Amino acid sequence: MKLTLHVWRQAGPSARGRFVRYDVPDGSPDMSFLELLDVLNQQLIARKEEPIAFDHDCREGICGACGMVINGRPHGPQRATTACQLHLRHFADGAEIWIEPWRARAFPIVKDLVVDRAAFDRIVQAGGFITARTGSAPEANSILVPKPAADLAMDAAACIGCGACVAACPNASAMLFVAAKVSHLGLLPQGQPERDARVMQLVAQMDAEGFGACSNHGECMAACPKEISIDFIARLNRDYIRGTFL
Amino acid sequence: MAQPLAVQPSATPSLARSLIGMKAIMATSGVILFLFVVGHLLGNLKVFQGPEHFNAYAEGLRTVGAPFLGRGQLLWVVRVVLLFALGAHIWAAIAVTRASWRARPIGYQRLESTHTTYAARTMRWGGVIILLYVIYHLLDFTFGRVNPSFIPGDAYHNVVASFRLWPVSAFYGVAMVVVGLHVYHGVWSALQTLGLHRAPTERWRRGAAGVIAAAIVAGYVAIPAAVLAGWLR
């Protein structure tokens, strides 16, 4: 299939970027979106041009490395799908596709479609874990976890930290990410001792990184490849208010 | 690396310094303003009971609480609370809006929205319109400066005199629709922001907010509509 791509090219963090048009005549419906970029990059290399830089790792939708805004939608038009698992069969032959990096002050562009998501790492480092060193896995039944809490914690823990929530948010807010990180520990017994301090520190770091405020548009939930619900944002808000007053 | 064992008691938490806290302030002050909007509507609907009832209600707002409170004291308490809530609401709105604008200095060529609503997207400018409207509304019915024939103490007359002019009624109608949109997003959004949320709430909170907002718009718009139709004269 024939595709026309408009790709954001930016040589470096402080360089001026612009869209460059590329015609790819030999796409296949079975290709993933990243394979399409691979094919295009081979052509660019053959022409002695600079290949397009983009993040990728597992290519099976579980690592959170890939991510780009495809036709105005983070990870493209397919629901609950990362860019690496998005296949060209979802595009019409002859389609025109616009590809941009995540755009947020907290995610500065490194090159082309690659952004620096270290802000997420710093948020997790601020307390998104349990400090007790537990050694090897304990006997599973020694701490009982109610099944609904375990399921909900698992839903939150599905977050792969790709940043699509920030990319989709009209406010470039990281609330869904932070909500997922706060909730998956806050729902479990092991997370209780540090629950209040954790939420305060993650939120303080989130604000320090320069993310925007949540205004409950719900775009993050719609863009999330793991379909994490904004219910977790309500949970984060409740935990934060609890941590402030109690 | 070498992060000290993280989770330590953090710096003094302050609602007014974090974005979530500012949103909580916005939601709380919004709830106060929402309760006023509902109460004001219930009072205003007494206009359909005729001039005596309506003017007695307007007078009652000043004498309520007697003999424990002096004339107008409770009214002023309510006014101060409302002004404080309005100030907090606007302050928080400006603060989070500025933070959000700063958070994306370079916009997208193209970003499609899939989940948001018209009401959510118009909260900021809608709020500005509502503020301008409230100023006009006070000049019209409280201060009487822009009312065509203001008679202090005769609230019924003032309402009819103003709404007989169709541009005034039209402006009022538009403002009420903006209020309705603001209330719709505000009500369900406040539940989210204050974390007053349990699994089943998700199912009805949007619907409930829609019904409440529609009832508010219908109730308020009924008054100028009745004046223009000649039912209230």
Side-chain angles (χ1 to χ4, degrees):
Chain A
M1 56 198 289
K2 244 177 73 103
L3 294 166
T4 304
L5 307 184
H6 300 270
V7 184
W8 182 261
R9 301 303 309 267
Q10 183 171 332
S14 50
R16 267 182 77 90
R18 65 191 177 98
F19 282 96
V20 178
R21 181 192 157 122
Y22 299 102
D23 291 299
V24 184
D26 47 358
S28 146
D30 298 329
M31 275 181 186
S32 76
F33 205 83
L34 300 191
E35 285 166 337
L36 171 71
L37 294 180
D38 292 337
V39 166
L40 173 56
N41 274 345
Q42 289 307 316
Q43 297 171 5
L44 293 180
I45 292 164
R47 296 206 301 254
K48 306 233 181 305
E49 288 178 37
E50 185 76 8
I52 299 162
F54 61 94
D55 262 326
H56 60 103
D57 191 12
C58 75
R59 298 209 178 200
E60 48 191 25
I62 56 170
C63 77
C66 69
M68 54 197 76
V69 173
I70 301 167
N71 279 348
R73 310 267 288 270
H75 291 299
Q78 195 69 8
R79 255 197 104 77
T81 307
T82 53
C84 62
Q85 286 294 299
L86 174 68
H87 288 82
L88 296 192
R89 66 181 82 98
H90 298 298
F91 293 89
D93 192 22
E96 224 177 22
I97 303 172
W98 292 79
I99 308 170
E100 294 181 71
W102 292 170
R103 294 204 186 274
R105 187 163 69 110
F107 288 165
I109 293 177
V110 176
K111 186 181 181 186
D112 297 338
L113 304 174
V114 177
V115 298
D116 179 0
R117 284 168 291 188
F120 271 10
D121 300 333
R122 288 189 293 268
I123 289 174
V124 172
Q125 284 164 0
F129 52 90
I130 288 161
T131 55
R133 298 173 193 279
T134 55
S136 56
E139 154 61 30
N141 288 324
S142 59
I143 301 175
L144 298 180
V145 181
K147 174 71 170 149
D151 286 350
L152 211 51
M154 207 53 208
D155 287 349
C159 171
I160 53 177
C162 66
C165 45
V166 174
C169 178
N171 305 315
S173 169
M175 286 284 279
L176 192 63
F177 170 78
V178 175
K181 298 305 165 200
V182 163
S183 298
H184 90 258
L185 295 175
L187 280 158
L188 296 174
Q190 294 89 337
Q192 296 314 308
E194 294 160 316
R195 184 171 166 183
D196 290 347
R198 179 182 307 114
V199 68
M200 306 315 287
Q201 290 180 211
L202 262 65
V203 168
Q205 190 63 37
M206 170 180 83
D207 286 354
E209 296 291 347
F211 291 104
C214 176
S215 48
N216 302 318
H217 288 283
E219 291 295 333
C220 50
M221 169 168 72
C224 177
K226 299 299 159 188
E227 298 192 292
I228 292 172
S229 166
I230 56 171
D231 291 358
F232 290 115
I233 294 181
R235 192 172 282 280
L236 166 64
N237 289 330
R238 185 166 58 220
D239 272 14
Y240 186 81
I241 292 168
R242 204 185 80 135
T244 305
F245 289 111
L246 305 177
Chain B
M1 260 330 311
Q3 197 75 13
L5 278 190
V7 196
Q8 327 135 345
S10 53
T12 29
S14 162
L15 275 191
R17 275 207 298 272
S18 77
L19 291 177
I20 294 182
M22 286 188 239
K23 285 288 303 196
I25 289 169
M26 201 195 303
T28 312
S29 55
V31 166
I32 294 170
L33 297 170
F34 167 75
L35 291 176
F36 166 74
V37 166
V38 172
H40 189 50
L41 170 63
L42 294 177
N44 283 0
L45 288 177
K46 292 186 195 299
V47 79
F48 288 103
Q49 293 179 309
E52 298 80 26
H53 276 93
F54 189 63
N55 286 342
Y57 155 71
E59 175 63 15
L61 289 178
R62 284 152 183 84
T63 54
V64 67
F68 302 103
L69 299 172
R71 180 180 168 80
Q73 278 184 352
L74 190 61
L75 185 65
W76 271 107
V77 170
V78 172
R79 281 171 172 167
V80 168
V81 169
L82 286 174
L83 272 176
F84 188 75
L86 184 71
H89 201 67
I90 293 172
W91 168 80
I94 291 172
V96 298
T97 299
R98 290 187 54 199
S100 296
W101 284 350
R102 274 200 307 269
R104 181 166 293 142
I106 299 169
Y108 289 99
Q109 165 85 7
R110 189 172 157 193
L111 184 67
E112 289 188 355
S113 51
T114 52
H115 198 273
T116 186
T117 58
Y118 182 75
R121 281 184 283 119
T122 53
M123 286 306 270
R124 288 165 186 163
W125 289 112
V128 172
I129 292 170
I130 293 168
L131 178 64
L132 294 176
Y133 168 74
V134 166
I135 292 169
Y136 172 81
H137 191 64
L138 290 174
L139 288 175
D140 188 359
F141 293 129
T142 304
F143 301 110
R145 293 299 175 83
V146 296
N147 192 291
S149 70
F150 189 74
I151 303 175
D154 192 349
Y156 186 91
H157 167 84
N158 298 337
V159 167
V160 172
S162 210
F163 284 156
R164 257 204 205 118
L165 307 172
W166 72 263
V168 175
S169 284
F171 179 37
Y172 183 92
V174 170
M176 286 310 107
V177 172
V178 177
V179 167
L181 289 168
H182 206 80
V183 163
Y184 164 67
H185 184 74
V187 164
W188 88 259
S189 190
L191 292 173
Q192 175 83 2
T193 299
L194 295 175
L196 300 173
H197 165 78
R198 293 288 173 192
T201 327
E202 170 72 16
R203 280 201 297 277
W204 55 258
R205 61 181 174 174
R206 272 181 185 271
V211 169
I212 291 167
I216 287 172
V217 175
Y220 275 116
V221 169
I223 298 166
V227 171
L228 286 179
W231 296 334
L232 300 177
R233 57 182 79 225

